[in-house]
């Protein structure tokens, strides 16, 4: 009898272990493992939108009952008192309050045509030249492409096969992820939706809780304001930029090392509730910040479960239904095993999730 009980306990223990820990760096390519990874990424969240996103994707999922209970609990909780607005860098809080009291409506300068300026030509591969097309535009880094190996044969199946990609067109990509302050300018122009979850979030945090479809609204607005064709980076451009000219697992080497990215257990600054301000960690060799961790970043490509048949010229892979789009780079809620330059995942293009953001790109030809 004791032996039978012991066997049952061992079996239960094994099943519990399987239910809470995804295998490998990323979940294996199956619906069950993707759902498990989704749940593990939000199970400690205090954002109602995260549980709504889970239920939209998995209305009859394994954790749907728990998600509904958490959602009901969060919506029933009394609203918390909002923190006072953060003072702008270099400006005393008192001065900000005075300015707010006497401020009058100002014309939307972001709609004015940008002053003509020559776009700096990117230098040799790996060199850094910054671009800022207009007052409202994010700072970008201009890159000259060269062939590189994309993906990995030693990690998750979705990253296979490792393959040569020959990028031919110079492009620019955001030095940082799009920030809350930059998104708010689009909201003020009545183009982008206001996000209730932002509240009094400081302007210098990365914008998140935004769907792929909503990111397109920002890009169209920015293209109109700047006169330049802004877009999301292709998945190949993103990985080329994230690697920073390296061929190692991370841009800093083959071993995880704290202090290089915003992720759980990867060093300060870190906060369980939200990512740190953009640029809080060292830039990679191309001068790009927060490619690893911070927030997952949307790219242009549709999701494919492997790289078999992927374009070899760095263009976006957009055949198929495209209901799911690719996100890259991990977020501050994941641990260091998600910070690899090859890490990729998928998300429904129309769904918001509090870990998902983006950075801008445009071609320079």
């Amino acid at each position: 009898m004791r032996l039978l009980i012991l066997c049952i306990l061992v079996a239960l223990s094994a099943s519990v272990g399987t239910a809470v820990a995804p295998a490998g760096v990323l979940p294996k390519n199956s619906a069950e493992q993707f759902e498990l990874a989704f749940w593990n990424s939000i199970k400690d969240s205090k954002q109602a939108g995260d549980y709504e996103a889970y239920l939209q994707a998995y209305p009859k999922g394994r954790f749907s009952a728990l998600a509904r209970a958490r959602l009901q609990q969060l919506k029933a909780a009394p609203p918390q008192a909002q923190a006072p607005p953060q003072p702008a860098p270099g400006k005393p809080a008192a001065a900000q309050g005075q300015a707010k009291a006497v401020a009058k409506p100002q014309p939307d300068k972001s709609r004015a045509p940008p002053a003509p300026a020559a776009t700096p030509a990117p230098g040799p591969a790996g060199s850094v030249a910054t671009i800022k097309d207009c007052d409202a535009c994010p700072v970008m880094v201009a890159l000259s492409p060269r062939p590189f190996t994309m993906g990995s044969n030693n990690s998750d199946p979705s990253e296979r096969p490792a393959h040569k990609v020959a990028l031919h067109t110079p492009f620019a990509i955001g030095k940082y992820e799009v920030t809350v302050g930059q998104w708010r300018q689009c909201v003020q122009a009545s183009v982008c939706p206001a996000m209730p979850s932002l509240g009094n979030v400081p302007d210098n945090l990365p914008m998140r809780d935004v769907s792929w479809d909503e990111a397109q609204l920002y890009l169209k607005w920015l293209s109109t304001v700047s006169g330049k064709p802004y877009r999301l980076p292709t998945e190949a451009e993103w990985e080329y930029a994230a690697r920073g000219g390296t061929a190692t697992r991370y841009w800093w080497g083959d071993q995880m090392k704290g202090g290089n990215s915003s992720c759980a257990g990867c060093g300060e600054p870190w906060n369980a509730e939200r990512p740190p301000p953009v640029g809080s960690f060292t830039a990679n060799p191309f001068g790009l910040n927060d490619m690893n961790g911070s927030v997952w970043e949307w790219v242009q490509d549709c999701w494919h479960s492997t790289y078999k048949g992927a374009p070899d010229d760095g263009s976006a892979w957009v055949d198929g239904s495209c209901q799911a789009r690719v996100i890259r780079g991990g977020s501050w809620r994941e641990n260091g095993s998600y910070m690899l330059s090859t890490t990729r995942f998928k998300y429904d293009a129309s769904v918001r999730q509090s870990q998902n953001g983006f950075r801008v790109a445009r071609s320079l030809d």
Side-chain angles (χ1 to χ4, degrees), residues 6 8 45 58 81 97 127 135 141 151 174 239 249 260 293 298 320 345 357:
L6 179 59
I8 293 172
S45 175
Y58 302 102
S127 66
D135 288 343
V141 173
E239 185 167 325
R249 300 176 73 212
N260 287 314
W298 291 109
F345 206 60

Side-chain angles (χ1 to χ4, degrees), residues 117-289:
T119 298
S127 66
V128 176
T130 57
I131 297 172
K132 188 171 171 63
D133 291 323
C134 65
D135 288 343
C137 294
V139 175
M140 295 190 295
V141 173
L143 298 176
S144 285
R146 64 183 177 191
F148 77 106
T149 299
M150 181 176 180
S152 170
N153 291 327
N154 301 314
S155 192
D156 190 84
S158 70
E159 300 169 19
R160 305 174 189 170
H163 57 291
K164 283 287 186 182
V165 175
L167 295 167
H168 298 297
T169 305
F171 68 99
I173 186 169
K175 178 173 174 59
Y176 311 105
E177 294 146 338
V178 170
T179 65
V180 171
Q182 289 162 346
W183 183 269
R184 282 176 173 150
Q185 289 180 289
C186 182
V187 173
Q188 290 167 3
S190 300
V191 176
C192 294
M195 305 296 192
S197 60
L198 290 179
N200 287 320
V201 173
D203 282 348
N204 61 351
L205 265 60
M207 181 59 196
R208 58 192 180 93
D209 201 21
V210 57
S211 70
W212 188 94
D213 292 336
E214 290 165 335
Q216 299 304 310
L217 296 176
Y218 177 86
L219 294 164
K220 289 178 182 178
W221 169 77
L222 195 61
S223 297
T224 301
V225 168
S226 67
K228 304 291 185 180
Y230 278 86
R231 57 178 174 79
L232 291 174
T234 70
E235 187 173 11
E237 288 173 339
W238 190 98
E239 185 167 325
Y240 174 80
R243 287 181 175 278
T246 69
T248 48
R249 300 176 73 212
Y250 313 91
W251 65 256
W252 56 84
D254 282 322
Q255 302 299 320
M256 183 60 200
K257 185 171 65 174
N260 287 314
S261 59
S262 174
C263 57
C266 300
E268 298 298 329
W270 189 80
N271 183 315
E273 297 304 317
R274 64 189 189 188
V278 298
S280 295
F281 293 86
T282 304
N284 75 4
F286 283 176
L288 300 165
N289 296 80

